[in-house]
């Protein structure tokens, strides 16, 4: 069954009797945890735990974002990895999919000195949009970032046409209590009217991180047809095209 987020067409909408128009400024949602933010420490693999995004298929699973800065620190490459369909959404066929072992799409970003620290200009799916890093949590001992909340919002002519929210963690899994705390931080940031409510976000399904790659007769057939090589070529073409 579809969640409420599927029916939010991202237009100006009514929230608790109040019309929410357009997109908020970064300063309206930015949390104090972003003080002293170091983009270089934001690099590396993140596991997407929950998302609100009507363009993102809910049937995928094991979604990750692997972020790498360019040498000059002014750009970044976001390797968006997915597998699909998920075991729960397609119980009889998930392991027969040609992308059961994953596929990649690259998003490309730039750091504009005119933007506040924590705002990244990202390009993907044919559009450029601001990616707000709203909140980060740190390891008490190392200071490394362990959790993050991202928010993308796009408006045209004062009308909100897209919103995306990502709950990210360095760990493949999070407890219900940890996710509830993340929802609380998003609520404090004023993001619930834009889709951060528990009933408007989808929880990513995830296999055990140590689970072996899928290898069966179907996967052998895809390899025989060269689908794995085609996916590699597409990945390389997308990556090269963004440089």
């Amino acid at each position: 069954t579809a969640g409420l987020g599927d029916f939010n067409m991202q237009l100006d909408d009514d929230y608790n009797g109040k019309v929410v128009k357009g997109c908020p400024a970064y300063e309206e949602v930015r949390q104090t945890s972003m003080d002293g933010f170091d983009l270089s420490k934001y690099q590396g693999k993140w596991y997407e735990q929950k998302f609100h995004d009507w363009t993102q298929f809910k049937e995928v699973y094991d979604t990750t974002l692997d972020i790498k800065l360019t040498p000059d620190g002014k750009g970044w490459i976001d390797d968006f990895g997915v597998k699909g369909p998920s075991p729960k959404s397609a119980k009889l066929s998930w392991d027969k999919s040609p992308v059961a072992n994953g596929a990649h799409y690259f998003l490309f970003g730039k750091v504009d000195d005119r933007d506040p620290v924590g705002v990244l200009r990202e390009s993907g799916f044919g559009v450029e949009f601001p990616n707000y890093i709203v909140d980060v949590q740190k390891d008490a001992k190392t200071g490394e970032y362990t959790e993050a909340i991202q928010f993308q919002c796009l408006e045209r002519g004062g009308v909100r046409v897209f919103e995306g929210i990502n709950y990210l963690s360095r760990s493949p899994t999070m407890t219900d209590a940890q996710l509830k705390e993340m929802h609380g931080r998003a609520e404090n940031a004023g993001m619930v009217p834009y889709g951060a409510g528990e009933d408007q976000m989808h929880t990513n399904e995830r296999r055990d991180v140590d689970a072996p790659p899928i290898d069966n007769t179907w996967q052998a057939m895809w390899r025989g047809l060269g689908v794995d090589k085609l996916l590699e070529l597409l990945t390389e073409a997308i990556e090269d095209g963004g440089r």
Side-chain angles (χ1 to χ4, degrees):
T1 58
L4 292 179
D6 293 312
F7 300 104
N8 183 348
M9 297 306 293
Q10 327 314 317
L11 302 177
D12 294 346
D13 47 8
D14 184 285
Y15 179 75
N16 285 349
K18 180 181 178 181
V19 174
V20 181
K21 295 181 69 65
C23 294
Y26 180 58
E27 291 76 11
E28 294 179 69
V29 295
R30 177 192 182 277
Q31 298 299 284
T32 56
S33 62
M34 291 297 296
D35 293 349
F37 178 70
D38 184 350
L39 183 58
S40 65
K41 291 167 60 175
Y42 201 70
Q43 296 183 97
K45 179 172 284 189
W46 291 94
Y47 295 89
E48 185 183 62
Q49 303 292 336
K50 302 186 79 170
F51 68 86
H52 171 87
D53 182 345
W54 61 271
T55 69
Q56 188 171 334
F57 293 111
K58 294 198 303 183
E59 290 78 10
V60 299
Y61 70 107
D62 280 4
T63 304
T64 57
L65 288 75
D66 203 341
I67 296 168
K68 182 179 179 181
L69 285 174
T70 55
D72 62 3
K74 296 298 183 182
W76 75 338
I77 300 172
D78 183 352
D79 178 355
F80 186 73
V82 297
K83 299 174 184 176
S86 70
K88 286 184 179 178
S89 67
K91 296 179 180 179
L92 298 179
S93 62
W94 70 274
D95 59 345
K96 303 173 179 63
S97 165
V99 292
N101 286 310
H104 298 265
Y105 188 92
F106 288 87
L107 304 173
F108 302 92
K110 62 182 179 181
V111 181
D112 192 324
D113 292 334
R114 296 170 295 181
D115 287 329
V117 175
V119 176
L120 302 165
R121 296 286 164 180
E122 201 160 66
S123 297
F125 309 103
V127 296
E128 180 181 281
F129 50 88
N131 186 10
Y132 294 172
I133 303 173
V134 172
D135 169 83
V136 289
Q137 299 296 297
K138 299 178 183 178
D139 183 282
K141 293 182 179 179
T142 67
E144 296 299 313
Y145 299 139
T146 58
E147 298 176 15
I149 297 175
Q150 292 188 162
F151 177 35
Q152 307 89 39
C153 194
L154 195 62
E155 65 177 68
R156 291 290 184 266
V159 176
R160 190 167 73 257
V161 295
F162 171 76
E163 59 203 13
I165 299 170
N166 317 98
Y167 287 0
L168 308 175
S169 173
R170 295 295 194 187
S171 172
T173 59
M174 293 179 70
T175 65
D176 290 341
Q178 288 174 318
L179 288 169
K180 196 165 190 67
E181 289 176 359
M182 192 170 271
H183 275 291
R185 295 197 298 274
E187 183 175 4
N188 290 339
M191 292 171 56
V192 172
Y194 303 98
E198 292 189 46
D199 60 347
Q200 285 193 299
M201 294 195 70
H202 175 69
T203 301
N204 269 316
E205 188 178 337
R206 193 167 299 283
R207 290 181 74 217
D208 191 301
V209 69
D210 296 320
I214 307 300
D215 191 11
N216 51 35
T217 55
W218 282 86
Q219 299 308 316
M221 180 188 73
W222 297 128
R223 289 194 298 271
L225 293 173
V227 172
D228 55 334
K229 301 300 182 184
L230 176 60
L231 289 173
E232 289 177 9
L233 287 173
L234 287 172
T235 297
E236 292 173 1
I238 293 170
E239 185 176 13
D240 290 340
R243 291 175 178 165

